[in-house]
Amino acid sequence: QKEVEQDPGPLSVPEGAIVSLNCTYSNSAFQYFMWYRQYSRKGPELLMYTYSSGNKEDGRFTAQVDKSSKYISLFIRDSQPSDSATYLCAMSANDYKLSFGAGTTVTVRA
Amino acid sequence: GAVVSQHPSRVICKSGTSVKIECRSLDFQATTMFWYRQFPKKSLMLMATSNEGSKATYEQGVEKDKFLINHASLTLSTLTVTSAHPEDSSFYICSSSALAAEQYFGPGTRLTVT
C-alpha cells in the first residue's frame, strides 16, 4: 500500500464547474499538507499549505484536512481552462520530507 | 510564492560524462534544499536532502557517489550526475525550504543521456 493515495484521473470538467480533488494517506505522523499544481514539463507550484486539520481558503481554492479520516481535499471554484494541469497532494511529518500522491490530471473544457 | 531557479533547463550529454545542475533560491535563504527525480507521468521521487554546509542525506536506493550534492551557501545547491548513463535520463527538480515543510520548487532540468 502506498503511503499517499491519489486517483490519477484524468478528470475533465466544463469551465465554471467545481473541481474536487482528494488524497488519502496512511501515516498518522503527517502534520503538514500541501497541494501543488504542475504544468507539463514544469516544476510544481505551491497552491495551498496547511498545518494539521482544518480548512483554508485562498481565492478560488479551498483546502480541507481531516486527520481523523486521513483524508485531504482541494476544491477549485469557477474553474478556468488555465486550471488545466496535474494536481499533486503532498504531506510530511516533522522531518519535512514530502510524500507525494500520484497526481490527478485535470482538464477544464472551454 | 518564493522563486527558485534551476540551470540548465535542458541538457543533453553523452554516456560516461558528468553533468552539473544548479539550484538557486532567489529571494530567500533556504535552510534546506531537496532534490527530486520525476519520470514521465509519474510523481516526484525524493533523492536527497541537503543542508547548507553539511553532507547531503540520501534516500534509500540513491547512489551518493553517482549523484553528488553540494550545498555551498543558503541560496545555492548543485547536483552532479557523474558518469551518466541513459537510465539517468529524467526530469530533475530541486526545491528550497526556509520554514517547516513549505517547499518551493524550481522549474526542473530535463537530462537526456545519449
Side-chain angles (χ1 to χ4, degrees):
Chain A
Q1 182 189 9
K2 292 181 182 177
E3 210 170 30
V4 181
E5 298 279 359
Q6 182 178 8
D7 185 342
L11 181 64
S12 179
V13 301
E15 184 174 358
I18 295 176
V19 176
S20 176
L21 304 166
N22 58 77
C23 291
T24 59
Y25 62 95
S26 58
N27 189 343
S28 58
F30 286 150
Q31 298 282 348
Y32 304 90
F33 304 92
M34 285 136 283
W35 285 95
Y36 287 87
R37 176 174 63 195
Q38 186 176 26
Y39 294 110
S40 181
R41 299 174 181 267
K42 301 290 184 184
E45 172 191 0
L46 180 62
L47 290 176
M48 300 292 279
Y49 173 81
T50 309
Y51 172 70
S52 195
S53 283
N55 295 353
K56 187 173 183 178
E57 190 172 316
D58 185 0
R60 297 185 295 113
F61 299 91
T62 300
Q64 294 182 347
V65 175
D66 182 349
K67 289 186 66 179
S68 63
S69 302
K70 297 189 176 67
Y71 185 91
I72 70 171
S73 302
L74 177 71
F75 300 97
I76 307 173
R77 292 183 298 279
D78 187 24
S79 57
Q80 305 294 312
S82 59
D83 294 326
S84 298
T86 296
Y87 290 82
L88 298 153
C89 64
M91 45 199 80
S92 78
N94 289 331
D95 61 358
Y96 305 150
K97 291 183 181 179
L98 294 185
S99 293
F100 282 89
T104 301
T105 300
V106 174
T107 300
V108 180
R109 309 184 305 271
Chain B
V3 180
V4 177
S5 70
Q6 270 184 253
H7 178 80
S9 58
R10 302 183 69 173
V11 58
I12 301 172
C13 71
K14 293 190 175 182
S15 187
T17 61
S18 295
V19 174
K20 180 185 282 188
I21 302 170
E22 287 189 353
C23 176
R24 291 183 184 273
S25 176
L26 298 182
D27 54 359
F28 72 100
Q29 292 185 325
T31 53
T32 306
M33 287 184 164
F34 302 84
W35 285 95
Y36 295 83
R37 187 172 177 175
Q38 187 175 33
F39 292 102
K41 299 189 184 299
K42 299 290 185 183
S43 194
L44 284 78
M45 182 189 77
L46 178 65
M47 298 175 66
T49 303
S50 74
N51 293 292
E52 183 259 345
S54 60
K55 289 184 178 180
T57 303
Y58 291 81
E59 294 300 299
Q60 192 173 5
V62 178
E63 298 177 59
K64 62 180 181 180
D65 294 331
K66 182 167 188 60
F67 299 100
L68 301 178
I69 292 172
N70 183 274
H71 193 157
S73 73
L74 286 171
T75 59
L76 173 64
S77 177
T78 60
L79 167 68
T80 301
V81 183
T82 63
S83 186
H85 288 92
E87 58 265 31
D88 298 324
S89 299
S90 192
F91 192 50
Y92 292 88
I93 314 176
C94 69
S95 72
S96 296
S97 173
L99 180 66
E102 197 168 341
Q103 291 184 28
Y104 294 91
F105 285 83
T109 296
R110 184 159 303 280
L111 170 63
T112 302
V113 184
T114 61

